[in-house]
Amino acid sequence: RMSNKSLGQTTQFQDKGIDVNKLKKRAIVFSISRPIQLKAMVPIYQKIVIKNKNKGYVLSDIPLMQHYLSDLSSEKFQLLDLFQFTLLSDRRKIFKSVAKDAKKWWKMKARETSKERGLESFLIKIDKRFLENQAKEIFPLAALYVENADKMIKTIRPKTIVFFSEKNFTEKSLGQIAKIYNIETFLFFPSNNTDVQDITGFNVADNILVTGDYMKKKITNHGIDRKKI
């Protein structure tokens, strides 16, 4: 729920500022937005980070991430919480500011459609409920993710960022900010049995990683440039 997640009050991290001097710069960041993605991420992390001795972090906003990781591997993972890069007081300021502007936008939209009648009026009422939710919850929440993504990238300047989905605020915000700082991003498409639409809209990562020619063909059938794969 937004009351916990949007303000970063997870059970995994305390609300303290990041000690920049203790963070590894130019690390590979693996972004996780759902626990199920760990099954694809763990073997890649073990190979690239642990075995080949590269610097790496697992970045997430999921509470109890260490618990999920310990069920899959005994290796020690370097964890970062996306919301650890801003203080709770700052997150509240951001949320209130964006929510205030979004409320003004919502009132303007409501006035523009208040005189409609008939079927169009009915459809507009449905649409207005959606827009109201966007204004009150989605816009402020998106702003929090973008702010934290920006702080994270400016703090550790990752070498690259690897996604396992492009459907969530975590990936969308990181992908947007990574482009600004010219940081290369990759989407790992994990399985022959995975529906393309469940993973991506192909509009976040710079490159797509696949497991073989079959998956490459499957993705190019969606109109994706083969040079990205």
Side-chain angles (χ1 to χ4, degrees), residues 70-85:
S70 62
D71 286 344
L72 294 172
S73 172
S74 59
E75 303 285 0
K76 185 176 181 181
F77 295 85
Q78 297 292 320
L79 296 177
L80 289 177
D81 187 324
L82 182 63
F83 282 98
Q84 198 182 7
F85 288 87

Side-chain angles (χ1 to χ4, degrees), residues 29-175:
V29 173
F30 298 84
S31 173
I32 297 295
S33 56
R34 297 170 60 195
I36 195 172
Q37 296 167 6
L38 292 173
K39 291 183 178 180
M41 186 279 294
V42 167
I44 298 175
Y45 186 98
Q46 290 172 329
K47 173 73 173 180
I48 295 176
V49 176
I50 298 174
K51 186 175 180 179
N52 293 344
K53 297 182 179 180
N54 287 302
K55 295 178 288 186
Y57 286 111
V58 178
L59 178 74
S60 182
D61 63 343
I62 301 173
L64 302 177
M65 175 57 73
Q66 186 62 64
H67 170 74
Y68 291 113
L69 285 169
S70 62
D71 286 344
L72 294 172
S73 172
S74 59
E75 303 285 0
K76 185 176 181 181
F77 295 85
Q78 297 292 320
L79 296 177
L80 289 177
D81 187 324
L82 182 63
F83 282 98
Q84 198 182 7
F85 288 87
T86 54
L87 296 175
L88 181 58
S89 57
D90 293 332
R91 295 195 290 273
R92 283 174 172 158
K93 289 178 183 178
I94 295 167
F95 190 89
K96 288 181 180 179
S97 175
V98 176
K100 183 178 180 181
D101 291 339
K103 187 176 181 179
K104 292 179 182 178
W105 173 84
W106 158 243
K107 286 183 177 179
M108 179 187 70
K109 285 292 182 183
R111 285 196 299 269
E112 288 177 356
T113 58
S114 61
K115 296 181 181 180
E116 300 294 339
R117 295 290 183 269
L119 176 60
E120 188 173 357
S121 173
F122 172 73
L123 295 175
I124 286 175
K125 285 180 181 179
I126 296 176
D127 190 44
K128 282 169 67 175
R129 291 175 185 170
F130 170 75
L131 292 176
E132 184 177 16
N133 178 65
Q134 294 276 74
K136 290 182 178 179
E137 298 190 11
I138 305 301
F139 291 170
L141 184 57
L144 287 170
Y145 273 87
V146 170
E147 178 69 16
N148 281 275
D150 183 67
K151 289 285 182 66
M152 185 281 288
I153 287 177
K154 286 194 291 189
T155 299
I156 68 175
R157 291 285 177 170
K159 183 177 181 180
T160 189
I161 302 174
V162 181
F163 304 127
F164 295 84
S165 168
E166 291 184 339
K167 290 291 190 178
N168 299 286
F169 279 136
T170 302
E171 299 95 14
K172 290 180 182 297
S173 58
L174 287 172

